[in-house]
Amino acid sequence: MLFKATNIFAVSIMLGFFLVVLLISGFSELLPGSSSNPTTKDSTFSNSLSKSKPEPFSDLFTAYRRWDSQVGCTQFREKHKDGLKFGNFSSSTSSLQDVDGVLQCSELKMDHVSVLVKGWTWIPDNLDNLYSCRCGLSCLWTKSSVLADKPDALLFETVSPPRQRRNGEPLRVYMDLEAGRKRSGSEDLFVSYHAKDDVQSTYAGALFHNNRNYRLSREKTTDALVYWSSSRCLPERNELAKRILGLLPTHSFGKCLNNVGGLDEALTLYPDCSKDASESPKWWDHLHCAMSHYKFVLAIENTKTESYVTEKLFYALDAGAVPIYFGAPNVWDFVPPHSIIDGSKFSSLEELASYVKALANDPVAYAEYHAWRRCGLLGNYRKTRAASLDTLPCRLCEAVSRKNGRDSRSL
């Protein structure tokens, strides 16, 4: 009996130990970075770094020359050819409207369309123009009720359109480029950043900030790796930025977490970014020029929403920096191949920071993030730019023409 009792006791202990092991194994699979599998979320990034001794650099062109000699455009195109056809950079992605597709001219019912922009809007005055569009369509886009005394469409953004539209009155267009993307309920056409809506307008254009100083620097600062600027201090974004700023050497401009001494300190650090010495500086005048002095720009969206990829990312690309991005889960549908660091792909902010620091001292690996610029490999970025605010007038006028403008039957 003693022998049997001892066996039962031993088996019980073994079973208990086995269950504990199973439980621990189960929990470990749920914890980020705790798996024994060496392929972690950021292994793709880590493998892109060279194994040689770190080489701190400040001249971007020097990094380009190193990359040209060791990698080159031919190898870069070969590396990304499958992705361009089938993957993240597929030209057939549903995240972007096919604005360059063939237009059946027979669909258009009008030869000329006028759009009158109503109320206060952030749409710049320099968008006002008479455009020559496809199929011989002319498009007048204006904020002047004198120039468009009988408009075919009224564009509203910050105020809702009239609730009723009678036959013979202009079509009501409502635009909402904010994350909520809420229809007014009274529009005939809805414009947003999303491909599922009537007309898409991405944030990738240049017209709404074409008065800024776009002088780009080939010299990258080494005392601060990351540029950050925000003047809308949202709690969640601020907390994330604060944690990242604590891990990486960063210059923080703007009102939130400012660590450079003022909103216009960029001009003190980089006097070459002054646009006009006779005018008092505005922070947005030298935004892109200041960004260009940094290897990385932290870009955090207000809201993590599908297709909501805003100017925060595109400013960094335009400035010749590498964005560290937190935001839309389908961001790769909007950007060139290997052009950004997607923060969501790392197991922790510490791993992200380690990668950024290593990349900053690896001229070849860093230059590869700029290869798309030099190798003509834009991927979906070409379509992202084509669907931007820059081309909105003609695309909206085409949509109004399809509906026959004022002669469209009211619902």
Side-chain angles (χ1 to χ4, degrees):
M1 291 294 294
L2 180 61
F3 178 75
K4 288 184 178 180
T6 303
N7 280 347
I8 293 172
F9 179 74
V11 170
S12 299
I13 291 178
M14 291 177 65
L15 284 174
F17 178 75
F18 182 69
L19 288 172
V20 169
V21 170
L22 282 178
L23 284 172
I24 293 176
S25 300
F27 279 123
S28 68
E29 290 180 2
L30 298 177
L31 296 174
S34 60
S35 172
S36 59
N37 189 337
T39 306
T40 58
K41 292 181 73 177
D42 68 328
S43 62
T44 301
F45 295 100
S46 299
N47 291 338
S48 69
L49 297 172
S50 63
K51 307 303 180 184
S52 58
K53 183 180 178 181
E55 298 181 54
F57 69 97
S58 59
D59 181 59
L60 183 60
F61 288 3
T62 298
Y64 284 168
R65 286 191 289 269
R66 290 286 304 276
W67 183 84
D68 288 342
S69 64
Q70 296 186 28
V71 185
C73 289
T74 300
Q75 186 174 327
F76 184 75
R77 292 191 187 99
E78 180 67 21
K79 184 186 299 185
H80 295 286
K81 67 177 183 179
D82 291 338
L84 286 165
K85 291 180 180 178
F86 309 110
N88 290 332
F89 313 111
S90 170
S91 59
S92 61
T93 175
S94 60
S95 296
L96 289 161
Q97 293 181 353
D98 187 13
V99 301
D100 287 331
V102 177
L103 173 65
Q104 298 296 328
C105 296
S106 59
E107 297 177 4
L108 303 183
K109 300 175 183 177
M110 307 169 64
D111 296 327
H112 176 75
V113 171
S114 60
V115 175
L116 179 61
V117 179
K118 296 288 289 183
W120 184 91
T121 175
W122 63 268
I123 296 174
D125 293 339
N126 58 19
L127 207 62
D128 287 19
N129 211 332
L130 179 62
Y131 297 85
S132 178
C133 309
R134 295 184 294 179
C135 297
L137 175 68
S138 62
C139 172
L140 175 63
W141 176 288
T142 181
K143 293 180 180 178
S144 170
S145 58
V146 175
L147 293 176
D149 56 341
K150 290 185 178 180
D152 300 292
L154 302 175
L155 175 65
F156 300 87
E157 184 197 3
T158 55
V159 293
S160 298
R163 295 184 62 85
Q164 297 293 328
R165 173 188 170 266
R166 294 186 291 268
N167 289 332
E169 291 184 342
L171 292 175
R172 300 159 300 170
V173 181
Y174 185 65
M175 181 169 75
D176 185 3
L177 299 185
E178 294 300 325
R181 182 170 141 251
K182 296 178 181 177
R183 291 175 176 266
S184 69
S186 302
E187 72 277 342
D188 301 292
L189 287 166
F190 182 55
V191 181
S192 90
Y193 60 85
H194 204 285
K196 291 182 179 180
D197 295 314
D198 297 321
V199 182
Q200 184 179 27
S201 180
T202 68
Y203 282 82
L207 278 180
F208 70 96
H209 50 78
N210 67 346
N211 291 325
R212 295 175 181 172
N213 183 356
Y214 275 88
R215 182 186 183 281
L216 302 185
S217 173
R218 61 182 283 180
E219 291 295 323
K220 301 291 186 179
T221 182
T222 55
D223 59 333
L225 298 180
V226 181
Y227 173 104
W228 161 253
S229 178
S230 177
S231 293
R232 189 181 176 194
C233 307
L234 301 176
E236 288 188 14
R237 182 172 64 183
N238 234 38
E239 180 59 29
L240 177 58
K242 185 176 181 179
R243 292 174 62 193
I244 295 172
L245 266 58
L247 297 170
L248 290 166
T250 307
H251 278 165
S252 177
F253 301 88
K255 296 179 181 178
C256 310
L257 307 175
N258 188 294
N259 67 1
V260 295
L263 298 181
D264 292 315
E265 279 302 299
L267 293 182
T268 302
L269 294 172
Y270 312 110
D272 58 319
C273 291
S274 179
K275 189 179 74 169
D276 190 341
S278 64
E279 296 181 6
S280 58
K282 302 178 181 64
W283 67 267
W284 56 83
D285 290 337
H286 50 266
L287 180 74
H288 294 83
C289 179
M291 281 184 181
S292 74
H293 290 80
Y294 297 83
K295 292 179 181 178
F296 307 96
V297 170
L298 181 59
I300 307 174
E301 302 290 7
N302 301 347
T303 305
K304 185 178 179 180
T305 302
E306 180 189 271
S307 297
Y308 186 61
V309 183
T310 72
E311 77 285 350
K312 298 173 184 63
L313 172 62
F314 298 118
Y315 281 171
L317 290 177
D318 288 347
V322 176
I324 302 171
Y325 183 76
F326 292 86
N330 60 335
V331 61
W332 284 107
D333 288 343
F334 296 86
V335 297
H338 198 71
S339 60
I340 72 171
I341 298 173
D342 186 349
S344 69
K345 300 303 181 183
F346 291 82
S347 300
S348 69
L349 293 182
E350 287 75 18
E351 288 181 349
L352 168 63
S354 295
Y355 175 74
V356 170
K357 289 176 181 177
L359 186 63
N361 289 327
D362 189 331
V364 175
Y366 180 80
E368 184 137 338
Y369 278 89
H370 295 269
W372 63 273
R373 309 178 193 275
R374 310 172 63 239
C375 301
L377 204 60
L378 299 182
N380 281 345
Y381 191 49
R382 191 186 307 277
K383 292 183 68 175
T384 305
R385 296 295 293 238
S388 72
L389 184 69
D390 296 0
T391 63
L392 180 60
C394 273
R395 294 187 292 114
L396 179 56
C397 281
E398 289 173 3
V400 172
S401 180
R402 288 190 189 96
K403 286 183 170 288
N404 208 20
R406 284 174 167 268
D407 291 334
S408 175
R409 298 288 297 177
S410 62
L411 300 178

